[in-house]
Amino acid sequence: MTRYTLWSATKKAALYLLLCTVTVAVCFPLIWALSTSLKPKSEIFATPPTLIPHSTTFENYEALLSGRQQYYQTGEKSQAAGPTPAQFFTRWFVNSVIVTSGSTLISIVVSTLAAYSLTRFRYWGRNMIPYFSLLGYMVPSIIFVFPLFLMMVRLELTDNLLSLVFGYVCITLPFCMWLMWAFMRSIPIEIEEAALIDGASRYQVFANVVLPTAMPGIIAASIFSMIVSWNDYLFGRVFINSLDNLTLTVGVMLFFEGTHVDWGLLMAASVLMTVPMAVLFMALQRHLVAGFGAGAVKG
Amino acid sequence: MDVRLQRINKSFGAVPVLKDVDLVFPSRKFVTLLGPSGCGKTTLLRMIAGLEDISAGSIYFGDREVNRLAPRDRNIAMVFQSYALYPQMTVRKNLGYGLRVRKTPATEVDSAVERVARILEIDHLLDRKPGQLSGGQRQRVALGRAMVRKPDIFLMDEPLSNLDAKLRVTMRGELRRFHLDLNATTVYVTHDQLEAMTMSDLIAVMHKGVVQQFGTPEEVYSKPANLFVAGFIGSPPMNFLEGKIDSGRFRISEAALPLPPLTRGIAPGLDVVIGVRPQNLSFVTSAGPNALAGIVSLVELLGSEKLIEVQIADRKRISVQVRADSQIHLGQNVHVEFDTSSVHVFDKLTEQSVLEAMR
Ligand SMILES: Nc1ncnc2c1ncn2[C@@H]1O[C@H](COP(=O)(O)OP(=O)(O)O)[C@@H](O)[C@H]1O
Ligand SMILES: [Mg+2]
């Protein structure tokens, strides 16, 4: 008895130790970035390094969000050296939000409707399309990017946020469609038939019964699509060439250019870049599993 | 409203599932479609609901042909075998959906939902979601959703099959009461002959997509039209013995058993199967021409009765139902006597009842 409890306590302790190690390993870079972004310049290269800043400052965040020049704290002279990345930060942020939400919206609408059609109507190829689309997702995006770029040139969409929206739709739509297809397949057709008998039109059935039931799938697909679009570097790098139209991932790389890298500013930018995805994920993950088709059928 | 099915045929691709179904369900009756799994009951019910195309034939509600009418225009309600509750809606929303989608004023929806919830004793569950309910509670919600709209025709597909045995028995009585309250024509699907016998005004026994017999529970029990109905209805199942007709008697190996007077007209030498229920057999002390000799091979206590299996000549077995206090032992030599008037005679070739054909 005691030996048994001792053994299980040991196992539990080992498990927690393992979990803590993994958590620290995963979180350390994030915490370090946050810490650095809050330090005044004098403390960033202090030896020994400090994890918790002795004195905290929000000057890096202020600089990014207000677009103020921050490189050399000497003022006038550096302003004349041309625009700096910090001045474009808010602009890039908005660009990222636009292309991410635009491509996610298109991907979700198209994939939800496609999945509904594929699972509820009979036509040739309805069983093969999802698999081919999954196959399409597995092709590395580096293979897509140049053909797509040539298409954007033809469409005269280069250096335009729309080109990114379409590009991201191309990489996220196949997987979203496969995901929604798998999800829709698990929704019992009887609940739609019950609604039809209750008096709903086809459209009402879709809006009142299918969509709410498919919501966890829609949220999963949205999160996937947003992460891919938000974190993309390749498309942003190839399709866009003016500073005004860059997205965050490509823009933040410009902080490395020049002879002087302002680490505090760079880390603050990284933290601000992480926040939207983290907040979204925390807000939505509850819906991912909750109430997935529960209780529709049988007992 | 009465429901008439006229020469209904259905096939999925090349596979025929229903063949020439011809039935009339009188207004406000409780009609059961009874048959083994896969015989086409659900398909027929779904055709009445308008969820399945009709390959050939017509369905009438009253005088109106409804073949091409959408489900929502038929004023029907259906309880699905899986219940098919809307998973993201509360019980209240589930119950009221049919009314809301038909643009009923909110106050009316509320009062109708409350009323039905009270009748079904689910008023304390109104704010839960289906996932938080037990099987029995879900079943009542499904029932309530169907009742709330006051349909002309009430369709139920094996609504009790997911419940445990005890609840099933109580629900049988309740469903019957709801039917009387609702004043609608009820079409009920089940594979359980006991459910069909206890609840129905009329039973349509189906097998392989063909209606075998349509009649009251008494009729299908006491005057089965063919071998299938005879074997499917009744528990424990009917005994069947093969033999020949010989001068008004049934000849099986050594014995020649008397048959009901009606059978005198049967051509001698006809190969027949006779059927007799375990309840209509009894043990007698002496051997005689009316009795079959055998050895007891199994004794089963059913509660207030005992089911005795007797091995007779040619390794055939028949079961006899006796009172629980009867002193019958395994291995005992017994003589089994037939209650002549309750013997059913079927043509071995056509499987149809010879007696019913002569009536
Ligand atoms: N959508 C369908 N496609 C093909 N065959 C079907 C379909 N629905 C039912 N069937 C077949 O029709 C027959 C009758 O099915 P069903 O009506 O569900 O039987 P029951 O309800 O009596 O068990 C079965 O053999 C079944 O396999
Ligand atoms: Mg069925």
Side-chain angles (χ1 to χ4, degrees), chain A residues 190-191 193-201 204 208-209 212-213 291 293-299, chain B residues 46 51 71-72 76 78 80 82 84-89 97-98 101-102 130-131 138 145 149 162:
Chain A
E190 280 102 337
I191 66 174
E193 292 174 338
L196 281 178
I197 290 178
D198 257 351
S201 64
Q204 284 169 320
N208 301 346
V209 175
T213 312
V297 166
K298 291 220 176 165
Chain B
R46 288 168 56 84
L51 296 172
R72 62 172 170 158
I76 50 171
M78 181 158 169
F80 289 80
S82 59
L85 302 178
Y86 311 127
Q88 306 299 324
M89 296 186 199
Y97 185 69
V101 88
R102 285 167 201 267
R138 279 176 212 177
R145 186 175 63 182
R149 269 191 302 114
N162 293 327

Side-chain angles (χ1 to χ4, degrees), chain B residues 61-279:
Chain B
F61 291 176
D63 294 328
R64 186 170 177 213
E65 200 204 52
V66 296
N67 283 23
R68 306 210 155 272
L69 213 56
R72 62 172 170 158
D73 298 324
R74 297 189 180 203
N75 200 21
I76 50 171
M78 181 158 169
V79 177
F80 289 80
Q81 182 168 11
S82 59
Y83 307 150
L85 302 178
Y86 311 127
Q88 306 299 324
M89 296 186 199
T90 59
V91 170
R92 188 189 302 278
K93 291 259 170 69
N94 261 284
L95 293 176
Y97 185 69
L99 293 173
R100 271 184 287 129
V101 88
R102 285 167 201 267
K103 305 230 167 16
T104 316
T107 50
E108 249 174 78
V109 176
D110 288 344
S111 65
V113 167
E114 304 269 337
R115 184 180 56 83
V116 166
R118 227 171 308 115
I119 295 174
L120 287 168
E121 294 166 19
I122 48 173
D123 31 1
H124 59 294
L125 305 172
L126 282 176
D127 295 314
R128 294 207 201 159
K129 291 208 175 153
Q132 301 163 305
L133 302 179
S134 73
Q137 292 168 332
R138 279 176 212 177
Q139 198 261 354
R140 298 178 88 83
V141 176
L143 213 57
R145 186 175 63 182
M147 286 164 61
V148 81
R149 269 191 302 114
K150 305 214 173 104
D152 291 332
I153 298 159
F154 200 61
L155 308 172
M156 289 191 261
D157 191 358
E158 314 216 12
L160 305 186
S161 62
N162 293 327
L163 303 182
D164 60 66
K166 192 152 166 265
L167 194 54
R168 218 179 296 169
V169 176
T170 33
M171 282 310 292
R172 288 211 299 254
E174 287 205 40
L175 283 181
R176 183 69 208 175
R177 261 198 305 284
F178 294 147
H179 165 72
L180 296 175
D181 290 346
L182 267 174
N183 239 347
T185 309
T186 300
V187 185
Y188 185 94
V189 163
T190 183
H191 64 265
D192 182 339
Q193 55 97 20
L194 192 61
E195 254 174 47
M197 295 295 285
T198 50
M199 298 167 70
S200 321
D201 295 319
L202 288 165
I203 299 178
V205 184
M206 295 174 61
H207 182 45
K208 294 186 174 165
V210 177
V211 175
Q212 306 289 321
Q213 188 171 2
F214 185 47
T216 62
E218 297 76 33
E219 278 167 353
V220 293
Y221 183 80
S222 58
K223 295 170 190 165
N226 57 36
L227 266 180
F228 176 80
V229 177
F232 197 73
I233 305 272
S235 170
M238 192 183 271
N239 294 297
F240 293 114
L241 292 169
E242 289 182 15
K244 268 189 196 314
I245 294 285
D246 181 8
S247 55
R249 286 180 166 257
F250 172 71
R251 190 163 289 284
I252 171 169
S253 51
E254 297 308 299
L257 305 171
L259 287 174
L262 253 176
T263 56
R264 298 242 167 77
I266 300 175
L270 182 69
D271 283 321
V272 293
V273 177
I274 67 160
V276 56
R277 297 194 185 279
Q279 295 88 340

Side-chain angles (χ1 to χ4, degrees), chain A:
Chain A
M1 178 70 194
T2 39
R3 259 185 65 187
Y4 177 77
T5 44
L6 191 70
W7 173 232
S8 68
T10 317
K11 269 204 301 196
K12 213 169 194 174
L15 187 68
Y16 274 103
L17 194 70
L18 184 72
L19 288 176
C20 287
T21 318
V22 172
T23 310
V24 168
V26 170
C27 291
F28 183 75
L30 279 174
I31 294 168
W32 190 249
L34 184 67
S35 152
T36 305
S37 71
L38 292 171
K39 289 174 188 171
K41 295 220 177 334
S42 52
E43 200 184 328
I44 289 179
F45 292 105
T47 36
T50 51
L51 185 59
I52 298 162
H54 290 306
S55 58
T56 55
T57 169
F58 288 98
E59 62 176 10
N60 292 319
Y61 291 96
E62 207 190 315
L64 288 176
L65 297 175
S66 65
R68 186 153 47 79
Q69 168 61 279
Q70 192 69 21
Y71 264 156
Y72 313 101
Q73 286 164 320
T74 47
E76 311 302 313
K77 221 171 83 189
S78 56
Q79 278 290 21
T84 60
Q87 287 173 303
F88 286 92
F89 185 81
T90 48
R91 170 110 206 183
W92 295 338
F93 199 96
V94 172
N95 287 348
S96 272
V97 170
I98 290 172
V99 294
T100 299
S101 42
S103 63
T104 300
L105 191 74
I106 295 177
S107 273
I108 294 303
V109 170
V110 173
S111 65
T112 304
L113 292 174
Y116 186 70
S117 149
L118 285 168
T119 52
R120 295 300 192 257
F121 300 103
R122 281 159 203 270
Y123 46 84
W124 189 87
R126 64 201 284 265
N127 292 321
M128 278 173 337
I129 290 170
Y131 292 108
F132 275 111
S133 102
L134 189 62
L135 207 66
Y137 168 65
M138 288 173 180
V139 178
S141 39
I142 189 91
I143 293 178
F144 286 122
V145 70
F146 295 106
L148 271 174
F149 177 67
L150 294 179
M151 284 168 69
M152 294 305 163
V153 171
R154 278 292 175 86
L155 294 168
E156 299 184 3
L157 283 178
T158 49
D159 198 23
N160 184 327
L161 292 183
L162 270 182
S163 67
L164 287 184
V165 171
F166 292 144
Y168 297 154
V169 166
C170 286
I171 43 177
T172 57
L173 182 61
F175 184 73
C176 287
M177 192 170 93
W178 180 81
L179 193 75
M180 289 311 299
W181 172 78
F183 205 87
M184 289 277 187
R185 246 186 357 163
S186 72
I187 299 177
I189 187 102
E190 280 102 337
I191 66 174
E192 290 179 50
E193 292 174 338
L196 281 178
I197 290 178
D198 257 351
S201 64
R202 270 242 166 241
Y203 170 75
Q204 284 169 320
V205 169
F206 187 75
N208 301 346
V209 175
V210 178
L211 271 190
T213 312
M215 201 44 84
I218 291 177
I219 289 173
S222 311
I223 289 181
F224 162 80
S225 168
M226 284 189 283
I227 289 177
V228 168
S229 314
W230 186 264
N231 291 341
D232 167 77
Y233 179 78
L234 183 64
F235 282 66
R237 180 89 188 131
V238 175
F239 287 6
I240 305 294
N241 45 32
S242 71
L243 277 176
D244 272 346
N245 291 335
L246 287 185
T247 52
L248 272 181
T249 40
V250 185
V252 164
M253 286 307 283
L254 298 182
F255 282 98
F256 280 113
E257 280 174 8
T259 48
H260 179 95
V261 178
D262 187 330
W263 287 101
L265 214 51
L266 182 57
M267 289 302 125
S270 311
V271 170
L272 287 177
M273 251 180 96
T274 316
V275 167
M277 286 297 118
V279 168
L280 256 173
F281 192 77
M282 279 191 281
L284 293 181
Q285 60 119 9
R286 188 169 60 86
H287 300 280
L288 273 181
V289 274
F292 161 41
V297 166
K298 291 220 176 165

